[in-house]
Amino acid sequence: MDMSRTVVPAPQTALDLVSLPRRQPATVAGIDWARLAVPEARRLRELGFDEGVAVEVLHRASLGSGPIACRIGRMTVALRRAVAGAVHVAPAVAAE
Amino acid sequence: MHASPLVALVGNPNAGKSALFNALTGARQKVGNYPGVTVERHSGRLVLDDGRPVELIDLPGAYSLEPSSPDERVTRDVVTGASSLERLPDALVVVVDAANLDNHLRFTLQLIALGLPVVVALNMVDLAERDGLTLDAAVLERELGVPVIPTVAVRKRGLDALRAALGEAVGGGGRRTPDVSAGTQDDIVQLQRRARQIATAATVSETAGRRWAHMLDSVALHPVAGPVLLVAILFVMFQAVFTWAAVPADAIDAGFGWLQDAIKGALPDGFLRSLLTDGLIAGVGAVIVFLPQILILFLFILILESSGYMVRAAFLMDRLMATVGLSGRAFIPLLSSFACAVPGIMATRTIEDEKDRLTTILIAPLMTCSARWPVYTLIIGAMIPNTQIAPFVRLQGVVMFGLLVIGIAGAYVAALVLRRTVTKGASSGFMMEMPKYQVPRIGDVLIGLWQRAVIFLKRAGTIIAATTVVLWLLLSFPNPPEGSGISPVDYSIGGRIGHGIEYVVKPIGFNRDIALALLPAMAAREVAVSAIGTVYAIDDTDGSGTDRITDQIRGRWTLPTALAFLMWFVFAPQCISTIAVTRRETNGWKWPLFMVGYLFAAAYIMAGITYWLAVFAGL
């Protein structure tokens, strides 16, 4: 049932990795695991995607579609928009 | 137990494992295959300070003990003692990238929990420092509870300390049994959080770095500049293969020519002399001439891989590959297939999705592998004039490039059709770590090239030499009656078989010589060249004594026939090794037979179309 699914608390700005502006530092606010296939979700976890981790969109291949390269922790990871859309983000506060 | 202790190198992909392996073992290593699973087994010998030998194996990179691809499964099975192909290691060297501890420590924690003696190599500490990251190895050691040795594999730093720590680890005696449940019980998210805590604790200072990497990526991954750069790199690569290889190839050719003359001078005319010169040397020599081209191609592929650019190329190609239902990941095995489909097909094991992987395997033989180049070069060199059609552009090069493009287009169409029919399934994703940019180390590249050269020369010395000799025998016997005027080839057993095949291939413009070459070329495509060479060496009826294959082809072939022959080789699956590796990779005969069937059909149709179009065009 849909109720059993943990609903991600929507950040004030409903940003995800697709809509996050390039080079805008952010943190992962939540991940909509239910939107992802099981192996996809596992690989995403293995690559370090988790709530509270620093994330930044570095590049988008070709305008409009194509994969996205982002920095997660100290790693650069390429992923498709379908997956990137499941990663909700909150812009980081400027102060260190 | 007298066998030397076994130590396994384990770690995440991109941790610098192979560089560390090369630094520890030097040239004393061998590449083999785990039987049945086509995962390369890299092993080597390491001598400890007290003189004890240790066998070191380099396991495929993995993200965790939950495998998602065949090579990750090998790693899991070996470290948990579940592998039937490898004994349980006496100790593990866990290689972690110092600049990426957050991520790599998670797998390290899993491995430590197994309970085998572990030494952690904190690798690439120099790059971490360059990125403004200072780490405290003592803190890591305390948190992890195992020795942590900072290393820089490519500069051989820290190797002595690592060897000493290994001596302690394997000297403990008493083989332990891995506690598999302890290694896999923790939730991956919990482990990840613990890893991040340890990484934070071990970090002394951290400043923003890697500006230059961002600058490189802003060109390499740019929506416009990126693809332009990729095409330029591929163009330079293929251009280099032809221009750089000319001098060494001519030298090898001259060397075999000299050998033939020396044997002709030393032996009386007869069976043995003909077997050696017309059969063995003409055949094997015709193939070994292409070693320089193959090595140059592998040189580029090794540099692209070890510099970190290959994954960027996959990133750029993902969108295009997605249009045929594949992912950018498939680009890497396909590019390797330009050198040889066998390592290319083996490289598909990193593709997680089964249908994706199968499609990539089925289209890999359409990439113009190096075995086709002898065939292309010979025919193009003989039949296509090398006129300059623009600055730096010659007609022969354009035809070569055209054949390459036809192969790629064929693969594109094949993937499109396959993904909608026999390998139908949900479109797979694309998720890949992008490694740091690195200057490739010459030593590592040379080791890679050496391994490829050995594999190629072994092939030339075994499969190719054997088929060439068999063909020579078939073409030499029986001899036509004295004064009958029949060509010795036509009269021989081989010649009669060739005439039989000729009936099938005549509609697509092939002559007797081609029909004769097709059968032995099933062993390997380049045998077609040596086979044609053997036919003309035996069939030297005009008595001119010219052994130059190109002159013979020029005199006997028409341009439509030559073009049809080239087109045939774009598609025809004439390679026993590829068929064998496909059988192994797909666990059965179904897919290799399907592959052979669809490729032969495509070859026949495309060669036929080419022949008749060329005939009607009056070429």
Side-chain angles (χ1 to χ4, degrees), chain A residues 40 42-43 45-48 50 53 58-62 65 67-69 74-80, chain B residues 63-64 68 72 99-100 103 106 193 196 206 210 218 315 318-319 326-327 352 428 430-432 434:
Chain A
E40 255 173 2
R42 196 183 61 209
R43 182 76 355 143
R45 283 194 199 98
E46 285 178 351
L47 290 172
D50 189 11
V53 179
L58 299 176
H59 301 279
R60 294 195 165 92
S62 60
S65 65
I68 290 172
R74 297 189 71 89
M75 223 155 91
T76 309
V77 169
L79 39 108
R80 280 195 180 160
Chain B
Y63 285 100
S64 73
S68 53
E72 290 192 9
N100 199 1
N103 202 276
R106 187 198 57 240
R193 290 185 182 158
R196 271 202 298 275
E206 182 177 5
R210 301 185 65 173
S218 60
F315 178 81
D318 182 60
R319 194 174 162 221
L326 292 174
S327 83
E352 289 148 32
S428 59
F430 173 66
M431 214 187 287
M432 251 183 130
M434 299 190 137

Side-chain angles (χ1 to χ4, degrees), chain B residues 232-249 290-301 303 373 392 397 400-401:
Chain B
I233 288 174
L234 294 180
F235 182 80
V236 169
M237 174 167 126
F238 287 114
Q239 193 71 25
V241 166
F242 290 101
T243 48
W244 300 357
V247 173
F290 294 94
L291 182 63
Q293 286 193 346
I294 287 158
L295 290 185
I296 291 169
L297 191 67
F298 269 118
L299 173 73
F300 272 86
I301 287 176
I303 289 175
W373 298 19
F392 303 108
M400 193 72 153
F401 191 70

Side-chain angles (χ1 to χ4, degrees), chain B residues 326-466:
Chain B
L326 292 174
S327 83
R329 208 177 257 276
F331 177 73
I332 299 172
L334 290 177
L335 189 62
S336 301
S337 299
F338 277 99
C340 176
V342 173
I345 287 172
M346 281 165 61
T348 62
R349 60 183 187 240
T350 59
I351 300 175
E352 289 148 32
D353 183 86
E354 230 1 86
K355 295 278 172 58
D356 229 15
R357 179 157 172 264
L358 186 58
T359 314
T360 311
I361 290 173
L362 291 174
I363 64 170
L366 286 168
M367 303 297 119
T368 305
C369 70
S370 49
R372 285 183 178 91
W373 298 19
V375 182
Y376 289 179
T377 317
L378 176 73
I379 305 301
I380 289 175
M383 301 299 287
I384 310 284
N386 200 17
T387 37
Q388 182 116 23
I389 52 176
F392 303 108
V393 182
R394 286 174 180 277
L395 188 57
Q396 290 188 345
V398 170
V399 173
M400 193 72 153
F401 191 70
L403 292 171
L404 226 111
V405 171
I406 293 169
I408 296 169
Y412 188 88
V413 173
L416 200 69
V417 174
L418 290 172
R419 277 304 250 161
R420 275 159 186 71
T421 52
V422 289
T423 58
K424 194 147 70 183
S427 171
S428 59
F430 173 66
M431 214 187 287
M432 251 183 130
E433 179 185 347
M434 299 190 137
K436 285 192 289 286
Y437 282 112
Q438 266 176 306
V439 180
R441 212 181 71 89
I442 296 168
D444 293 340
V445 172
L446 287 181
I447 287 174
L449 277 184
W450 170 249
Q451 288 166 350
R452 295 300 164 199
V454 168
I455 292 169
F456 177 80
L457 291 175
K458 263 190 195 156
R459 251 159 72 84
T462 53
I463 295 185
I464 293 172

